[in-house]
């Protein structure tokens, strides 16, 4: 039994690079695919995924190098599509069907996203991978993930990170930081916690979308979360 009927899983691009510092680490990709397969088999949760592109390109990085922001963001969105195709291939290898949707027309690389086709695929038990974030420059994949979570009527947005949840300060920089088990959208804003960008947090807040920030780098954590164990930090009203 799953804690949630349908979730949006956000994976960062950076997490795919593993120890190599750039691009896609095939071992990391197949570990994620295996973990998702086990969770689907055990809990039957419908899973939509939004994946970032920071392991390949970020629009902001291009600015200092003479790349116009909009072009840079388009490069970033294409990077998310490369990651999405990689994840889709890895899911296929472990026996899970998936559909890659793109927020920008690029058939036959992926299907042009629309809510109803994506929901139909989820109902058929396929993993839906939504690439290109929102499809617009000046946004992030966190915002893309919050948008898709709301649109696809998910029960929660699960933000996979490399730390155990939301802390009072960055735990990788401040060893005295302590973790929240729960926190409100407003507290994130008031305390200026940089767990997600404000647009994404506002989108979830305005639409009552719970967020769980959890450590995706700990094997078995996704299973724990979907089986109902408390892990990570829950963000609600
Ligand atoms: N991006 C964009 N619009 C979106 C989502 C992403 O322009 O709706 C671009 C943006 O340039 C961003 C890059 O894609 O820097 C990669 O996304 P993000 O930085 O969110 O990836 P992550 O940090 O999660 O790997």
């Amino acid at each position: 039994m799953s804690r949630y009927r349908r979730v949006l899983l956000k994976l960062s691009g950076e997490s795919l690079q593993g120890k190599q510092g750039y691009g896609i680490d095939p071992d990391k990709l197949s570990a994620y695919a295996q973990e998702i397969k086990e969770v689907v088999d055990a809990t039957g949760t419908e899973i939509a995924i939004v994946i970032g592109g920071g392991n390949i390109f970020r629009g902001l990085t291009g600015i200092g190098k003479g790349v116009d922001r909009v072009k840079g963001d388009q490069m970033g969105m294409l990077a998310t599509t490369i990651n999405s195709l990689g994840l889709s291939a890895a899911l296929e290898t472990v026996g899970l069907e998936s559909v890659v949707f793109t927020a920008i027309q690029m058939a036959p690389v992926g299907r042009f996203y629309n809510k109803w086709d994506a929901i139909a695929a989820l109902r058929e038990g396929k993993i839906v991978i939504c690439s290109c974030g929102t499809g617009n420059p000046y946004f992030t994949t966190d915002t893309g993930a919050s948008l898709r979570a709301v649109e696809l009527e998910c029960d929660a947005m699960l933000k996979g990170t490399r730390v155990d949840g939301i802390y009072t300060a960055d735990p990788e920089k401040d060893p005295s930081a302590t973790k929240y088990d729960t926190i409100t959208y407003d507290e994130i804003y008031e305390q200026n916690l940089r767990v997600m960008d404000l647009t994404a947090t506002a989108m979830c807040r305005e639409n009552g979308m719970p967020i769980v920030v959890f450590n995706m780098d700990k094997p078995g954590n996704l299973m724990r979360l979907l089986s109902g164990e408390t892990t990570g930090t829950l963000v609600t009203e």
Side-chain angles (χ1 to χ4, degrees), residues 11 16 24-38 49 51 81-100 127 129:
L11 299 174
L16 286 190
I24 301 174
D25 173 357
D27 292 339
K28 201 72 199 265
L29 204 56
S30 56
Y32 275 173
Q34 190 59 46
E35 186 147 9
I36 292 165
K37 165 84 172 145
E38 283 165 17
I49 299 176
I51 187 154
T81 307
I82 293 174
N83 286 335
S84 298
L85 292 172
L87 183 62
S88 169
L91 289 170
E92 213 159 283
T93 304
V94 297
L96 263 188
E97 269 193 87
S98 63
V99 187
V100 175
I127 305 295
I129 308 175

Side-chain angles (χ1 to χ4, degrees), residues 16 63 75 82 97 102 119 133 183 190 228 237:
L16 286 190
I63 288 181
M75 291 167 73
I82 293 174
E97 269 193 87
T102 61
I119 286 184
I183 191 168
E190 284 154 14
E237 198 66 64

Side-chain angles (χ1 to χ4, degrees), residues 77-215:
M77 286 188 268
L78 291 176
T80 72
T81 307
I82 293 174
N83 286 335
S84 298
L85 292 172
L87 183 62
S88 169
L91 289 170
E92 213 159 283
T93 304
V94 297
L96 263 188
E97 269 193 87
S98 63
V99 187
V100 175
F101 286 94
T102 61
I104 296 170
Q105 290 265 24
M106 56 174 100
V109 170
R111 279 165 66 181
F112 191 39
Y113 172 83
N114 78 73
K115 166 182 173 163
W116 296 277
D117 286 356
I119 286 184
L122 286 168
R123 288 195 176 131
E124 286 164 12
K126 295 174 184 156
I127 305 295
V128 161
I129 308 175
C130 301
S131 76
C132 307
T134 64
N136 294 290
Y138 297 95
F139 287 99
T140 64
T141 48
D142 275 352
T143 301
S146 62
L147 174 64
R148 297 300 181 231
V150 171
E151 264 190 292
L152 296 176
E153 300 167 24
C154 292
D155 299 315
M157 168 172 159
L158 313 181
K159 181 175 157 75
T161 66
R162 54 186 187 191
V163 291
D164 286 337
I166 303 178
Y167 284 73
T168 48
D170 184 348
E172 290 180 344
K173 291 182 188 142
D174 180 353
S176 69
T178 52
K179 182 171 104 43
Y180 293 101
D181 289 332
T182 60
I183 191 168
T184 66
Y185 307 107
D186 287 342
E187 283 167 334
I188 290 184
Y189 180 72
E190 284 154 14
Q191 294 172 35
N192 197 21
L193 298 172
R194 300 189 182 276
V195 51
M196 276 193 357
D197 61 86
L198 291 180
T199 318
T201 310
M203 180 76 192
C204 288
R205 180 183 185 273
E206 279 172 19
N207 293 281
M209 175 62 57
I211 308 165
V212 182
V213 178
F214 75 107
N215 192 336

